[in-house]
Amino acid sequence: MAEGQKAIVWFNEVSKNDVSLVGGKGANLGEMTNAKIPVPPGFIVTANAYYDFLQRSGITDKIRELLEPLDVNNSKQLQQVANKVKEIMLNATMPPELAREIREAYIKMGRGLVAVRSSATAEDLPTASFAGQQTTFLNVQGEEEVVAAVQGCWASLFRPRAIFYRQQQGFDHLKVGIAVPVQKMVQSEASGVLFTVEPVTSDASKIVIEAVYGLGEAIVSGEVNPDLYIVNKEDVEISNKKIGKQDWQLTRNPAGGDKNPNIKVPLPPSMQTQQKLADDDIITLAKLGKYIEDLYHFPQDIEWAKEDKEIFIVQTRPVTTIKKEAAVKVVPEITAPVFLSGAPASPGIASGPVKIVPEASQIDKVNEGDILIAEMTTPDFVPAMKRAAAIVTDRGGRTAHAAIVSRELGVPCVVGTEQATSTLKDGQIITVDGSTGKVYEGKVAETVLPGAPAMPKKKIKTKTRVYVNLAEPEAADKVAARDVDGVGLLRAEFIIAGIGEHPNYMISQNRGQEFIDKLAKGLTIFAKAFNPRPVVYRTNDFKTNEYRALKGGEDYEAVEENPMLGYRGASRYITDIEVFKLELEAIKKVRQKYANLWVMIPFVRTVDELASTVRIMESEGLKRTKNFKLWMMAEVPSNFILLEKFIEVGIDGISIGSNDLTQLILGIDRDSGKLADTFDERDEAVMIALERLIKVSKSMGVTSSICGQAPSVYPELTEKLVEWGITSVSVSPDMIDQTREIIAKVEEKLKLND
């Protein structure tokens, strides 16, 4: 392993800035530990250790040879190849010094029963939620057993569903890392999940808790219909309870063993219909959920467990399936008789022929447009779920992993019907309404896509353009089909993270062209989807801590006390010119076919920085033309103070980064939970800056836009921006239609369309 890289880190040594090192789960465990949230203690085997294992074992070529010709849509072939890769991974030898470090860390934490979990570095990020792709080993005890479980987690990175997902996302299989948290086991009396937003309707005023007796794997897998508790977020009072009947609970298997670590234990009849969690515990848990949501400034999906009257938080991740409530409300009511009913898991309506799939090995039965019927829809079903028009299960709650995946995929889903597999027949035509949890015999309604209006609406024309902020390649085609004028902010970070290696490290290995090709491939997806509408690409704004986390990054990046204010943006471009040239080459490569790709320079501190950046771009053949526009992010106070001078350098437009601008004007760390209430883009000082940026731009003949989160959160701010004369507003995908309507009303009021 490279000098300075760590193979083992403890929870209290990492934070949410270390996702590339310890994965989403690992970073969140560290963040919560440092925030004094009750988290069972543990350590993490880092992604560095995994990459070192791949390199030193010499197995990468064998794995690549198996994966390159694979057709992931051929379910049988996918299963066969996955088994072969898994065998290679498990038979390879772990570096002896790493195995020793793992054993020593296990001893240091006091031995005993631990959970050995997988934390892929591209898993549980806000752009996707394919949780459960990799393996978790529970009730592991013993030094050698923990070492073996870590290697088992590594091997699970090549399970069929994980291979399928990476292929769909365009990730290089061998560039996605995996970290392995090793955590003290909680022997749960009760356990479950908590959403700090209602996961189907996206009602942010509700907290949803699901609870079962015993270990939480029963609820996550969907095998048990859990208790459902609804809590009002504002006053933290229970508003609704639905008690699920539970015949058995999952407990630790005293006999142990890897294959059957847990066993099902029947519950006495007196317990089967009891409430799993006392009201006081529900309130305590809801308060914890609120605190964690405040910590992350984003709705959270939380796993919890109760042992000896104490509630523990096992892990948390962002809810990535939030949809506008209006998108659910417009679904037309179906008046036909209800054939089956369950819990609504993913909104939308679809009809088609039934395909009953008893187990994941038979998912190749499901063709495009079929209705997938299963006892429970586990993550192994993902390839078939992408082909299915809708999904119905016998068991599971609305927060089961598979329900989350359904929402991410935009597939209507109903869970917990109890009898779908026994009542329905293969080939039978049914209609599934994922918004209400109802299933109807025959085709009784037209298809309604989740998040899309059910009835055609008249297209609204506005003088102010509505752009969208994007980072996820898989979303490009879907969002491009919306009434949107282009991409106002295309973030590079997701594509760069997918590449996974520091560009200077790749240059040192004479692999600069590989970096160019991979970046160009990611950019092309967006440019092609939106062509001829503009796609404004913000050049890479990785900070030093983020760059250090990439493979080889520690050799090129200093440790900074405050990376947010450190070596980033234009300062980096004019210093590390060779890396900037790689990025410019990728842009030029895409523009050979798609001239709608424009460029935006982030975090420009001084006028000289902008001038130097422009000179480098021009020397590399990227000069402003009628078809190629250059924008500057306006996110540093110097930008609005000296805006006239910045514009005189030669730019076509500005885009206001309201997140950083607010942070720097008010002197507030935007990640601070204690100062969250003070961080407000509507503050008078920020509003003065916004008004000046827009009005000066207009007076000097350049366009103005905004791409921070402010317009997506505060519609009333959008009204002021239009009044001041902003050229475009770029918002998150779920706010496109609402923003267009707000702009239209303001323009009508101001007579801008006359």
Side-chain angles (χ1 to χ4, degrees):
M1 190 177 298
E3 187 176 349
Q5 290 186 338
K6 287 187 175 182
I8 303 289
V9 292
W10 295 89
F11 288 174
N12 63 359
E13 295 179 320
V14 295
S15 71
K16 60 188 176 185
N17 296 320
D18 298 306
V19 171
S20 296
L21 180 69
V22 296
K25 288 189 185 76
N28 286 335
L29 288 167
E31 195 74 21
M32 290 190 294
T33 298
N34 289 313
K36 309 303 181 186
I37 292 167
V39 175
F43 63 89
I44 304 162
V45 183
T46 67
N48 290 338
Y50 167 72
Y51 287 129
D52 187 58
F53 161 74
L54 286 183
Q55 182 182 358
R56 294 175 60 181
S57 63
I59 60 177
T60 54
D61 289 342
K62 294 179 184 177
I63 294 173
R64 202 178 292 281
E65 286 173 9
L66 286 168
L67 293 174
E68 281 185 350
L70 173 63
D71 176 9
V72 295
N73 293 306
N74 183 329
S75 298
K76 288 183 178 178
Q77 184 188 16
L78 175 61
Q79 186 72 49
Q80 291 168 353
V81 170
N83 288 338
K84 290 179 182 177
V85 176
K86 179 182 177 183
E87 188 176 350
I88 291 172
M89 291 287 292
L90 292 175
N91 289 335
T93 301
M94 181 185 293
E97 61 272 27
L98 173 60
R100 185 187 69 250
E101 283 192 64
I102 295 171
R103 288 193 291 268
E104 289 173 353
Y106 173 67
I107 293 169
K108 185 177 179 180
M109 72 183 289
R111 295 189 170 91
L113 292 170
V114 294
V116 183
R117 303 179 183 275
S118 301
S119 183
T121 56
E123 186 188 17
D124 295 339
L125 297 181
T127 49
S129 177
F130 289 80
Q133 287 182 10
Q134 284 77 49
T135 298
T136 291
F137 296 92
L138 301 174
N139 303 312
V140 180
Q141 188 166 15
E143 298 160 35
E144 298 307 322
E145 287 76 7
V146 171
V147 171
V150 169
Q151 191 157 349
C153 287
W154 290 346
S156 74
L157 194 59
F158 295 92
R159 296 171 84 182
R161 59 178 177 255
I163 294 172
F164 180 89
Y165 171 66
R166 289 195 298 274
Q167 191 80 10
Q168 294 292 309
Q169 296 289 314
F171 292 149
D172 184 327
H173 294 288
L174 295 170
K175 296 295 189 295
V176 172
I178 185 170
V180 182
V182 178
Q183 188 177 27
K184 278 283 188 184
M185 278 291 295
V186 177
Q187 298 305 311
S188 313
E189 302 156 14
S191 56
V193 291
L194 178 154
F195 272 43
T196 62
V197 60
E198 210 292 334
V200 177
T201 65
S202 298
D203 184 349
S205 69
K206 305 294 184 187
I207 292 174
V208 176
I209 300 172
E210 289 187 342
V212 295
Y213 287 128
L215 298 175
E217 279 62 32
I219 190 172
V220 170
S221 66
E223 290 186 272
V224 170
N225 292 333
D227 280 9
L228 174 67
Y229 315 128
I230 308 293
V231 180
N232 293 325
K233 189 181 290 184
E234 185 174 351
D235 57 13
V236 198
E237 290 190 359
I238 301 168
S239 63
N240 192 22
K241 291 188 288 189
K242 180 181 178 183
I243 311 304
K245 184 182 179 185
Q246 186 174 345
D247 300 326
W248 53 267
Q249 67 176 349
L250 203 61
T251 63
R252 177 184 170 239
N253 184 356
D258 291 340
K259 292 186 177 179
N260 297 297
N262 302 316
I263 55 174
K264 296 177 181 178
V265 177
L267 289 169
S270 59
M271 288 182 65
Q272 291 179 7
T273 56
Q274 283 186 3
Q275 182 174 316
K276 313 303 183 299
L277 207 57
D279 286 0
D280 287 347
D281 286 334
I282 295 172
I283 298 301
T284 298
L285 192 53
K287 289 179 178 178
L288 270 174
K290 279 187 68 174
Y291 178 66
I292 295 171
E293 181 181 69
D294 290 342
L295 179 68
Y296 286 95
H297 309 298
F298 200 84
Q300 295 291 303
D301 166 9
I302 298 166
E303 292 183 24
W304 59 270
K306 182 184 178 185
E307 178 185 22
D308 293 334
K309 299 183 180 180
E310 187 173 359
I311 291 176
F312 292 94
I313 301 300
V314 180
Q315 67 167 302
T316 187
R317 53 179 164 261
V319 179
T320 62
T321 54
I322 300 172
K323 294 180 172 63
K324 292 303 296 174
E325 190 177 356
V328 178
K329 287 182 176 177
V330 297
V331 174
E333 183 180 358
I334 300 173
T335 57
V338 175
F339 189 68
L340 285 172
S341 63
S346 178
I349 299 172
S351 302
V354 165
K355 285 292 176 67
I356 299 175
V357 183
E359 54 188 31
S361 61
Q362 299 181 35
I363 61 173
D364 56 323
K365 290 173 56 177
V366 179
N367 298 315
E368 201 78 32
D370 287 344
I371 308 293
L372 191 161
I373 310 295
E375 187 175 356
M376 53 185 181
T377 319
T378 69
D380 290 302
F381 284 65
V382 168
M385 292 165 73
K386 295 197 82 166
R387 298 192 294 269
I391 298 160
V392 181
T393 71
D394 287 348
R395 292 188 273 173
R398 294 182 298 172
T399 55
H401 276 166
I404 296 173
V405 171
S406 299
R407 292 193 290 273
E408 182 80 20
L409 294 174
V411 177
C413 181
V414 175
V415 297
T417 64
E418 297 185 352
Q419 50 185 342
T421 56
S422 60
T423 305
L424 298 170
K425 305 295 181 186
D426 272 337
Q428 180 180 358
I429 303 298
I430 61 171
T431 297
V432 178
D433 186 347
S435 304
T436 63
K438 303 291 192 297
V439 178
Y440 304 88
E441 193 168 11
K443 182 176 181 178
V444 299
E446 295 300 315
T447 298
V448 176
L449 296 176
M455 302 298 180
K457 296 172 69 176
K458 183 180 178 182
K459 190 172 182 178
I460 303 172
K461 291 184 178 181
T462 57
K463 183 178 179 181
T464 309
R465 289 186 285 279
V466 176
Y467 290 150
V468 66
N469 302 333
L470 281 180
E472 170 58 68
E474 195 172 59
D477 286 331
K478 185 185 293 185
V479 178
R482 305 275 297 279
D483 180 20
V484 65
D485 299 313
V487 178
L489 170 64
L490 172 54
R491 297 189 298 274
E493 284 67 25
F494 194 89
I495 302 171
I496 301 294
I499 296 173
E501 299 181 72
H502 195 290
N504 273 320
Y505 173 72
M506 297 180 74
I507 291 172
S508 72
Q509 297 183 327
N510 297 316
R511 293 166 56 219
Q513 188 61 47
E514 181 183 339
F515 180 88
I516 292 169
D517 293 342
K518 288 183 174 179
L519 179 56
K521 181 181 178 182
L523 296 177
T524 298
I525 292 172
F526 296 94
K528 180 180 179 182
F530 283 86
N531 193 38
R533 291 166 291 177
V535 173
V536 184
Y537 168 63
R538 182 185 69 186
T539 45
N540 186 22
D541 194 23
F542 257 31
K543 303 165 192 69
T544 49
N545 59 320
E546 295 164 333
Y547 259 128
R548 277 179 64 84
L550 296 175
K551 185 176 181 181
E554 292 188 359
D555 294 334
Y556 298 96
E557 302 294 335
V559 176
E560 293 184 316
E561 287 296 325
N562 191 343
M564 183 74 75
L565 297 178
Y567 184 43
R568 60 177 287 203
S571 301
R572 183 180 283 272
Y573 306 151
I574 63 176
T575 305
D576 196 353
I577 298 174
E578 291 308 308
V579 169
F580 188 42
K581 285 181 178 179
L582 293 185
E583 195 166 10
L584 297 179
E585 284 300 317
I587 293 165
K588 289 194 297 183
K589 183 176 181 179
V590 177
R591 281 186 51 80
Q592 288 174 5
K593 190 170 183 181
Y594 299 103
N596 61 323
L597 184 66
W598 300 352
V599 168
M600 177 161 62
I601 305 299
F603 220 79
V604 184
R605 294 178 168 97
T606 69
V607 175
D608 286 343
E609 274 190 354
L610 179 62
S612 298
T613 302
V614 170
R615 282 196 296 271
I616 295 169
M617 292 181 66
E618 290 179 346
S619 70
E620 293 300 306
L622 273 175
K623 297 182 180 181
R624 295 163 56 215
T625 66
K626 182 180 178 181
N627 295 321
F628 176 61
K629 305 299 182 184
L630 177 63
W631 289 9
M632 179 189 78
M633 287 279 286
E635 53 190 342
V636 180
S638 60
N639 298 153
F640 73 82
I641 294 170
L642 300 175
L643 183 58
E644 292 89 346
K645 292 186 177 182
F646 280 104
I647 292 174
E648 287 169 359
V649 169
I651 56 175
D652 300 289
I654 65 163
S655 185
I656 300 164
S658 56
N659 302 345
D660 273 350
L661 186 63
T662 304
Q663 173 176 247
L664 296 174
I665 289 177
L666 297 181
I668 292 175
D669 177 358
R670 71 192 203 208
D671 295 326
S672 169
K674 290 186 177 180
L675 297 173
D677 291 340
T678 311
F679 185 94
D680 192 332
E681 294 89 334
R682 298 166 299 176
D683 182 273
E684 183 181 4
V686 181
M687 294 292 278
I688 289 171
L690 296 178
E691 183 176 7
R692 171 169 165 74
L693 286 165
I694 294 167
K695 289 186 174 179
V696 170
S697 297
K698 186 176 181 180
S699 70
M700 295 187 69
V702 302
T703 61
S704 59
S705 187
I706 185 168
C707 59
Q709 286 299 301
S712 299
V713 179
Y714 304 121
E716 68 272 23
L717 177 60
T718 304
E719 296 183 17
K720 296 300 295 182
L721 299 175
V722 176
E723 286 182 19
W724 293 331
I726 200 163
T727 313
S728 60
V729 175
S730 193
V731 295
S732 55
D734 63 323
M735 288 295 293
I736 291 171
D737 295 333
Q738 184 177 341
T739 302
R740 181 81 74 181
E741 291 173 1
I742 292 168
I743 290 172
K745 290 177 182 177
V746 178
E747 289 184 347
E748 184 179 2
K749 177 181 172 184
L750 299 174
K751 310 295 184 185
L752 292 182
N753 290 318
D754 289 356

